[in-house]
Amino acid sequence: MNARAARARIRRSVMAVGSRLGSHEWTRRLLYAMKNRLTFEDLYQHDRMLADRVRMGAYRRAIARHVQPGDVVVDLGTGTGILAFLAARAGARLVHAIEHGETIEHARAVARANGITNIVFHRTHSTRFELPERADIILHEQIGDALFDERVVEHVADLRRRVLKPGGRILPSRLELFIEPVQLAEGFESPFLWEENVDGISFRVLEAIAAAQPHRYRYRVFRPFPHGHFLCRPEAVVRTNLATAVPADLPRRVTYEREIVAGGRLDGFCVYFRAGFDDQHWFTNSPLERPTSWATPFLRISPRPVEPGEQIRFTLDAGNLQAPSTWAWRLE
Ligand SMILES: C[S@@+](CC[C@H](N)C(=O)[O-])C[C@H]1O[C@@H](n2cnc3c(N)ncnc32)[C@H](O)[C@@H]1O
């Protein structure tokens, strides 16, 4: 078995154990850290992120605008080091690049090869990172497909409290989560198995299995998202500012009532985000915008026809908004 296959096998085992033990927050956090490290030790993840023009363009512009000569910058989760390099080039006096995975060795090599000397690399988990002085900026890209699922609020809040100067900046700091009712593109409709009738063969008898279906059957992740159209006017359901947020601020219930403005078939809910550095600099993985390296989670429901003017009421209950495996949703 080669190293990549071995990592994939470990990742699957970790996830399988995780789904059994994951009902406890402490276990969930530990398993998440292991899974995250293994995921980002796959260099392909970094290929995709570096090649993502939307993501890189947004960070490049924001760093050029916010990093001032002389700043001390902490790069949380440096990966290949790219954000640390951009900050160093923008004039930072010193960049502390933190990474818990072995990719940090690649980042070190790239820094050496490019003659970048004002970065100190720390191979550690951010919660164990300590800094004798206070930093001007925390830079991070801890944004998950479901926005909070890379535990950005937890990790940034911890560093903010321990290492950021009062009034220091966090890039990006404004996060918005969207959960939009959507019709999938033609050819991607996918009723649940028990709703199928193929050539007169009904699968209705399987309805009894519905309740036992694992979360991963209802929570799908698309890359790219087969977008048909949004049925309502998009509106953020959670808005967070990392300048002050702590995990306890994240809601455990998201609920809304909305009017259908474009009728069709309601297939489920598309999850995406907007992340902002300031009033002008934002990026998003909205299916309406240019594709990015993020995948798009999709919350399945039984498809149903909807008419313009109709009101729909959506509820998401989350044991922990950072852990999509704890999410349950319904349409009333
Ligand atoms: C989404 S990648 C971003 C990498 C890089 N900053 C970039 O923009 O290309 C997140 C990186 O953070 C690392 N990471 C995640 N959580 C961390 C933590 N709490 N402490 C240290 N590293 C972490 C992961 O291993 C991964 O390399």
Side-chain angles (χ1 to χ4, degrees):
M1 195 184 315
N2 65 25
R4 192 174 173 154
R7 266 201 305 270
R9 193 165 170 181
I10 297 171
R11 192 160 55 237
R12 277 198 302 277
S13 311
V14 167
M15 283 164 82
V17 175
S19 61
R20 281 164 198 235
L21 300 176
S23 50
H24 302 290
E25 180 50 21
W26 184 87
T27 335
R28 209 158 37 219
R29 189 177 295 150
L30 182 72
L31 290 167
Y32 170 75
M34 287 166 68
K35 188 185 114 202
N36 178 275
R37 220 175 73 192
L38 290 165
T39 300
F40 288 105
E41 284 183 358
D42 176 356
L43 266 191
Y44 178 64
Q45 301 300 334
H46 297 277
D47 294 356
R48 291 191 311 104
M49 291 188 290
L50 293 183
D52 177 341
R53 304 284 174 246
V54 172
R55 185 187 93 106
M56 289 316 308
Y59 273 93
R60 187 180 297 112
R61 286 187 291 275
I63 289 170
R65 179 185 170 128
H66 290 282
V67 174
Q68 306 293 324
D71 278 350
V72 173
V73 176
V74 170
D75 177 19
L76 163 54
T78 201
T80 54
I82 181 61
L83 304 184
F85 302 144
L86 294 179
R89 207 169 61 184
R93 172 168 64 80
L94 194 56
V95 182
H96 293 277
I98 314 170
E99 171 58 53
H100 63 163
E102 69 187 25
T103 342
I104 197 161
E105 300 310 330
H106 303 307
R108 276 198 178 105
V110 176
R112 264 196 308 274
N114 285 275
I116 303 170
T117 53
N118 54 340
I119 301 181
V120 182
F121 292 97
H122 305 262
R123 181 164 182 183
T124 183
H125 192 269
S126 60
T127 50
R128 289 191 290 275
F129 170 73
E130 285 176 8
L131 193 62
E133 60 181 331
R134 291 261 166 178
D136 300 283
I137 293 182
I138 294 174
L139 186 56
H140 69 90
E141 197 277 74
Q142 297 266 295
I143 296 172
D145 296 332
L147 181 57
F148 300 114
D149 51 328
E150 288 189 18
R151 298 193 167 248
V152 61
V153 177
E154 191 173 305
H155 295 152
V156 169
D158 166 62
L159 280 185
R160 183 186 69 219
R161 182 174 59 78
R162 296 186 300 107
V163 311
L164 190 65
K165 276 183 185 161
R169 281 150 289 161
I170 295 170
L171 303 176
S173 56
R174 303 178 197 185
L175 303 178
E176 296 182 352
L177 178 70
F178 293 76
I179 305 181
E180 288 301 323
V182 68
Q183 173 170 322
L184 296 176
E186 222 37 59
F188 285 88
E189 318 77 347
S190 49
F192 292 118
L193 193 60
W194 51 89
E195 292 163 340
E196 280 290 10
N197 189 313
V198 183
D199 294 344
I201 298 174
S202 162
F203 284 69
R204 182 63 63 191
V205 66
L206 297 181
E207 188 159 12
I209 67 169
Q213 285 315 296
H215 181 270
R216 65 175 182 276
Y217 180 65
R218 295 172 184 275
Y219 182 96
R220 305 304 303 192
V221 176
F222 286 107
R223 187 198 303 274
F225 187 67
H227 187 64
H229 66 270
F230 283 152
L231 300 160
C232 298
R233 262 183 219 100
E235 204 179 302
V237 290
V238 179
R239 288 192 167 86
T240 302
N241 193 331
L242 294 175
T244 52
V246 291
D249 296 342
L250 293 175
R252 285 169 164 251
R253 169 168 284 192
V254 169
T255 183
Y256 61 73
E257 189 166 339
R258 296 242 187 101
E259 184 182 331
I260 298 290
V261 292
R265 189 188 57 246
L266 172 45
D267 286 319
F269 297 82
C270 162
V271 179
Y272 64 95
F273 65 81
R274 250 164 56 92
F277 300 93
D278 52 52
D279 289 342
Q280 282 100 48
H281 295 85
W282 291 79
F283 64 101
T284 177
N285 70 336
S286 162
L288 302 181
E289 304 293 335
R290 285 166 61 201
T292 68
S293 48
W294 280 274
T296 306
F298 174 61
L299 312 185
R300 298 179 71 193
I301 58 162
S302 291
R304 65 174 69 178
V306 284
E307 301 277 341
E310 195 179 326
Q311 296 288 322
I312 58 164
R313 192 180 317 177
F314 169 81
T315 302
L316 172 88
D317 284 309
N320 180 346
L321 200 62
Q322 301 176 106
S325 61
T326 67
W327 295 9
W329 54 93
R330 62 183 185 276
L331 199 59
E332 281 155 26

